[in-house]
Amino acid sequence: MEDSICIANKNYVIKTIIESNILKSTISKNEKEQFHIVHAILENNKETYSEEKIMTFHKKALLYLFNKLQKNEKLKDIEKKSMKDISTIDKKLKDKFIGYCQNSMPEQIQACFLLRADNLYHYTIFENTYGDISKFIEFIEHNESIKSLINEWETVIEIKHSHQIYYEKVNTMDIVVCIVNNDISVGVMTRISKVFIENLSKSDVI
C-alpha cells in the first residue's frame, strides 16, 4: 500500500508492507530527486494481518507524518527554556539506569534515553552526540504530547544522515530512545536495540 503526498513543497511517500511477519510503514522524503527514509514504523504481530488491519496501520502512518510536521513547525516559535529542576529526578532510578548503560550498552548505541513520568534520564558515551541529545531534550521539553506521537506504535525509527533514532514504548507508559550509529542496517539496529531494551526491562530499571 502506498501514498504520495506534497506538504509545503516537499514530497513524501508513505509505504506499508509486511516484511518477515512484521507490519512496517516507511515515510520517505524526496531530497534532490532521491528518496531516503526519514521514519520507519513497525508493529510485531504473530497473527495474520487482515486487509483492514493493514489499511488502519497505513492511515496511522499518514497521521503520524502530519502530527510530526505540525510539531516541528511549532518548535520554531518556542523560546528555549531550562531543564526541569534536578530535584524532580529519582536519583535511585537515575543511578540504576546509568549503571545498566555503563555495563550493558552495545558499542553501536551512542546514547540512551528513558522518559518516565515526564522526567528524562539519559546516558551517552560519545561527545559528538551532544547536539542530538540537546535537540531531543528540547523536543521533550516543548512537546509534552510526545507520548501521543509515539502512542499508536510499538516502535518508531527515525533515520538521519549521521545516525538512527530508535523509539520503543515500554510498559505502555515509558519510552526508551536509543541513538545508534548509521553504519549498520535498520534491521540489525532494530535487533540490537530491541534486545538491549528487553534486557533493560529485565534488569528492573523499567
Side-chain angles (χ1 to χ4, degrees), residues 36-38 68 132 158-165 182:
H36 69 277
I37 297 174
V38 291
K68 188 77 165 57
D132 302 316
E158 191 169 359
I159 301 172
K160 304 286 189 178
H161 292 293
S162 61
H163 60 276
Q164 303 169 56
I165 306 175
N182 210 17

Side-chain angles (χ1 to χ4, degrees), residues 49-64:
Y49 293 108
S50 65
E51 187 175 339
E52 183 179 0
K53 171 73 174 178
I54 296 170
M55 176 70 75
T56 300
F57 195 84
H58 186 76
K59 287 180 178 178
K60 286 180 180 179
L62 284 166
L63 182 60
Y64 178 91

Side-chain angles (χ1 to χ4, degrees), residues 40-100:
I41 301 165
L42 311 175
E43 182 173 284
N44 289 311
N45 192 337
K46 294 181 180 179
E47 299 177 3
T48 303
Y49 293 108
S50 65
E51 187 175 339
E52 183 179 0
K53 171 73 174 178
I54 296 170
M55 176 70 75
T56 300
F57 195 84
H58 186 76
K59 287 180 178 178
K60 286 180 180 179
L62 284 166
L63 182 60
Y64 178 91
L65 173 62
F66 294 141
N67 287 341
K68 188 77 165 57
L69 292 174
Q70 185 180 40
K71 290 189 180 300
N72 286 347
E73 283 299 315
K74 287 181 179 178
L75 262 179
K76 296 176 184 178
D77 301 324
I78 300 176
E79 293 184 3
K80 196 171 184 177
K81 64 178 182 180
S82 61
M83 280 287 286
K84 293 180 180 179
D85 189 332
I86 195 67
S87 63
T88 65
I89 299 295
D90 182 334
K91 188 177 185 306
K92 185 177 179 181
L93 174 62
K94 179 183 177 183
D95 291 344
K96 288 176 70 176
F97 175 72
I98 290 177
Y100 175 80

